[in-house]
Amino acid sequence: MTDQNGAEPAGKEPELRGVDLARRALEEARAAAKASGKSVGQGRSSPQRKLRTGARRRSGWSGAGPDPRDPQLFGALTGSLAKNRGWSAKVAEGTVFGRWAGVVGEDIAAHATPLTLKDNVLSIAAESTAWATQLRMLQSQILAKISAAVGPGIVTSLKISGPAAPSWRKGERHVRGRGPRDTYG
């Protein structure tokens, strides 16, 4: 509130905005920390190491060791972003489909394909009935590999199916019954 001349009335501070408001909040936080006995200032609160020459090391530069200011791996950053946003389950589901060969192994991936993941049940299509039978016997090992790759609870059971059998039903006019019986000789 200003008077007619644009000056602030006596005894009232001007309303702070933007950078000035942030600066004031930082000053108040530093004062509160100093009053409670904590170290106040920029950089880490750990004591500075002395170099061999006795000079203090500058805190603005990263040294040879790991530092929080160092560049981070992209996978770690996206993983933490997915965790913070609650996308972890969907990312894990995508990992099962996107990295199928790496999750279950090259041999199994060459003969089986994941189809759907619904209610923690993964549907897998095998290329032959023999592979479907083999996958059913390896079901516990496959579930263990998936849990190790994407975490527990994402896939709790498998639904393994073989290839679709040929349909004898042809055309619009179909006679009910067992179908053709004398087709093979």
Side-chain angles (χ1 to χ4, degrees):
M1 300 229 194
T2 58
D3 60 7
Q4 296 171 345
N5 298 334
E8 294 288 330
K12 184 129 181 163
E13 291 186 25
E15 184 177 331
L16 298 176
R17 290 193 176 146
V19 175
D20 294 327
L21 181 63
R23 204 172 273 137
R24 169 74 56 86
L26 181 61
E27 289 171 3
E28 291 173 359
R30 283 183 178 162
K34 197 170 192 176
S36 66
K38 296 181 181 173
S39 64
V40 178
Q42 294 181 351
R44 293 179 285 188
S45 60
S46 63
Q48 294 288 330
R49 293 185 302 175
K50 296 255 183 181
L51 299 176
R52 286 183 218 190
T53 59
R56 293 188 77 144
R57 184 176 179 213
R58 286 190 161 190
S59 63
W61 296 334
S62 176
D67 193 317
R69 296 171 293 173
D70 289 341
Q72 302 295 314
L73 296 175
F74 188 68
L77 292 174
T78 56
S80 65
L81 176 69
K83 186 176 181 181
N84 292 341
R85 301 256 173 122
W87 300 338
S88 296
K90 292 293 183 187
V91 170
E93 290 175 17
T95 302
V96 171
F97 290 100
R99 294 183 39 223
W100 177 248
V103 171
V104 297
E106 293 291 332
D107 193 31
I108 293 174
H111 301 286
T113 307
L115 298 176
T116 60
L117 179 61
K118 187 182 276 186
D119 298 328
N120 299 339
V121 177
L122 179 65
S123 298
I124 299 174
E127 72 175 11
S128 67
T129 53
W131 266 102
T133 304
Q134 185 69 22
L135 291 176
R136 285 186 191 105
M137 290 192 300
L138 295 173
Q139 190 167 2
S140 61
Q141 287 94 344
I142 294 171
L143 284 172
K145 287 180 180 182
I146 293 172
S147 292
V150 298
I154 302 299
V155 177
T156 56
S157 64
L158 300 176
K159 181 181 174 187
I160 300 169
S161 61
S167 172
W168 293 104
R169 184 178 189 150
K170 307 232 185 317
E172 295 177 13
R173 299 176 213 276
H174 175 71
V175 178
R176 294 181 62 125
R178 288 181 46 200
R181 282 174 285 291
D182 195 17
T183 57
Y184 296 111

